[in-house]
């Protein structure tokens, strides 16, 4: 595992660190918006008092914290693969460059001693999972790795009620920040209630500390709704999502290609409006995660 100078110094000085995933860079957004987003997210974390640690695999080596040249290299890489927790070992032996998914990033963050991680959306139970069995490895990782993940809920490319049921079975607490509802990524409500609501980074940090102290052994999912001014109208985006899901079925897209295919198609069909909202919500999550990380450091 290679640590950037910035992350190593943060550990030495006992500063708050926030992990960031990189599949969002390699497979979630097109170049150059992916690079702009990655830089802005890192800056937002620094502005809120913490140190960003973007996690990725570069030529077979795990990196915790990337410098700007490495970030750019990853954002432009056309040969980068998508690596989940189970893929890591094989991808590393092959010397590949990879964006780490939520599951792989949680695993690495946990090994590195980083308790909190910010992203856009986590994977979940796909629509039609009763026949396809397509359930993201992110959910099982949340069930067994004690990393707190700050997200904007999950996209309605997924079956949100089934995703919430699955997380309940996996003993993963779901806490919405400043809302009674579980958010649906581009929109502030999925129509499902979140199990719990807490309204400040300090309260969320206390819940994190207690969850860990209880030896729960599972991750926590913090659902932070997209800011009102950046949210898309449900009528508009849900129609776009329906169309993309239909195309994926028609074209027989399966396995790990499903999520990247849908994200790219939704961006095309929405003429970039989904991408703009996506960037806004990731920034919003980075700010919350940084404030939580700082509050958490003050507790432990
Ligand atoms: N959801 C998004 N954007 C993303 C992803 C999910 O809105 O970029 C990425 C994350 O890295 C997540 C992964 O961990 O997709 C899940 O992929 P799968 O559904 O194949 O498990
Ligand atoms: Mn899948």
């Amino acid at each position: 595992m290679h640590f950037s100078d910035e992350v190593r110094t943060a550990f030495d000085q006992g500063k708050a660190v926030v992990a960031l995933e990189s599949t969002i860079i390699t497979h979630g957004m097109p170049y150059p918006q992916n690079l702009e987003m990655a830089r802005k997210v890192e800056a937002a974390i620094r502005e809120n008092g913490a140190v960003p640690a973007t996690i990725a695999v570069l030529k077979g080596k795990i990196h915790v914290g990337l410098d700007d040249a490495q970030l750019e290299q990853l954002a432009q890489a056309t040969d980068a693969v998508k690596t989940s927790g189970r893929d890591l070992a094989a991808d590393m032996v092959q010397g590949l460059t990879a964006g780490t998914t939520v599951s792989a990033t949680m695993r690495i963050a946990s090994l590195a001693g980083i308790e909190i991680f910010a992203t856009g959306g986590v994977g979940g139970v796909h629509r039609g999972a009763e026949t396809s069995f397509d359930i993201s490895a992110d959910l099982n990782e949340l069930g067994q790795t004690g990393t707190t993940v700050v997200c904007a809920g999950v996209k309605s490319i997924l079956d949100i009620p089934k995703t919430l049921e699955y997380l309940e079975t996996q003993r993963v607490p779901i806490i919405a920040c400043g809302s009674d509802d579980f958010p649906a990524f581009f929109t502030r409500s999925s129509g499902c209630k979140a199990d719990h609501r807490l309204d400040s980074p300090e309260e969320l940090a206390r819940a994190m500390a207690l969850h860990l102290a209880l030896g729960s052994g599972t991750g926590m999912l913090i659902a932070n709704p997209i800011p009102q001014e950046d949210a898309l109208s449900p009528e508009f985006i849900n129609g776009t999502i329906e169309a993309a899901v239909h195309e994926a079925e028609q074209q027989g897209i399966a396995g790990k290609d499903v999520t990247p295919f849908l994200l790219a198609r939704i961006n095309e069909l929405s003429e970039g409006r989904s991408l703009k909202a996506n960037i806004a919500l990731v920034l919003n999550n980075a700010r919350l995660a940084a404030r939580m990380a700082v509050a958490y450091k003050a507790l432990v």
Side-chain angles (χ1 to χ4, degrees):
M1 223 184 255
H2 293 250
F3 293 89
S4 67
D5 290 342
E6 187 186 18
V7 170
R8 195 182 297 279
T9 306
F11 284 150
D12 289 346
Q13 298 180 346
K15 280 197 190 157
V17 178
V18 174
L20 297 161
E21 64 143 316
S22 49
T23 294
I24 191 172
I25 301 173
T26 57
H27 291 74
M29 291 183 190
Y31 180 82
Q33 289 92 341
N34 59 351
L35 180 60
E36 279 165 37
M37 177 278 304
R39 285 176 173 154
K40 278 194 201 157
V41 165
E42 291 205 348
I45 289 175
R46 292 188 191 101
E47 277 158 24
N48 286 278
V51 171
T54 299
I55 291 178
V57 177
L58 301 180
K59 298 200 173 91
K61 301 245 170 357
I62 290 176
H63 286 255
V64 179
L66 301 181
D67 63 28
D68 198 65
Q70 290 170 327
L71 213 52
E72 182 150 8
Q73 194 187 318
L74 189 72
Q76 291 202 40
T78 48
D79 57 351
V81 298
K82 168 181 166 185
T83 197
S84 74
R86 71 173 191 144
D87 301 313
L88 272 173
D91 286 342
M92 289 169 72
V93 170
Q94 294 172 82
L96 299 179
T97 289
T100 50
T101 64
V102 169
S103 74
T105 309
M106 286 180 74
R107 189 100 296 283
I108 295 165
S110 166
L111 291 171
I114 304 171
E115 296 92 353
I116 179 161
F117 154 33
T119 184
V122 294
V125 179
H126 279 262
R127 297 189 195 178
E130 58 275 26
T131 50
S132 70
F133 277 40
D134 191 348
I135 299 173
S136 175
D138 292 351
L139 303 187
N140 284 44
E141 196 72 49
L142 278 161
Q144 62 174 51
T145 301
T147 311
T148 295
V149 180
V150 180
C151 70
V154 299
K155 283 203 176 80
S156 54
I157 58 174
L158 301 168
D159 186 322
I160 296 178
K162 284 198 185 78
T163 301
L164 298 179
E165 286 291 349
Y166 197 86
L167 287 167
E168 181 187 347
T169 304
Q170 293 285 322
R171 302 181 303 116
V172 178
I174 301 172
I175 307 178
C177 180
S179 170
D180 295 324
D181 291 353
F182 185 75
F185 203 84
F186 297 124
T187 55
R188 288 178 58 84
S189 174
S190 61
C192 300
K193 292 279 170 228
D195 298 313
H196 306 282
R197 168 183 178 155
L198 293 174
D199 291 340
S200 71
E202 291 74 25
E203 282 179 316
L204 291 166
R206 280 174 57 207
M208 239 177 98
L210 285 169
H211 185 68
L212 287 170
L214 286 162
S216 312
T218 64
M220 276 186 117
L221 197 65
I222 308 301
N224 188 31
I226 184 172
Q228 188 71 61
E229 60 272 25
D230 301 306
L232 300 179
S233 89
E235 297 75 29
F236 166 73
I237 198 64
N238 290 340
T240 306
I241 290 171
E242 295 290 345
V245 169
H246 184 69
E247 279 183 37
E249 278 164 16
Q250 296 282 304
Q251 296 182 33
I253 310 288
K256 67 202 276 183
D257 297 333
V258 174
T259 300
F261 175 89
L262 292 174
L263 299 181
R265 262 325 262 155
I266 292 166
N267 185 36
E268 283 164 15
L269 293 171
S270 72
E271 293 169 345
R273 285 163 73 185
S274 68
L275 182 57
K276 200 162 158 271
N278 200 342
I279 293 171
L281 66 84
V282 179
L283 277 170
N284 190 48
N285 296 343
R287 286 189 284 265
L288 177 62
R291 289 180 194 157
M292 282 174 62
V294 169
Y296 180 77
K297 271 283 170 219
L299 289 174
V300 293

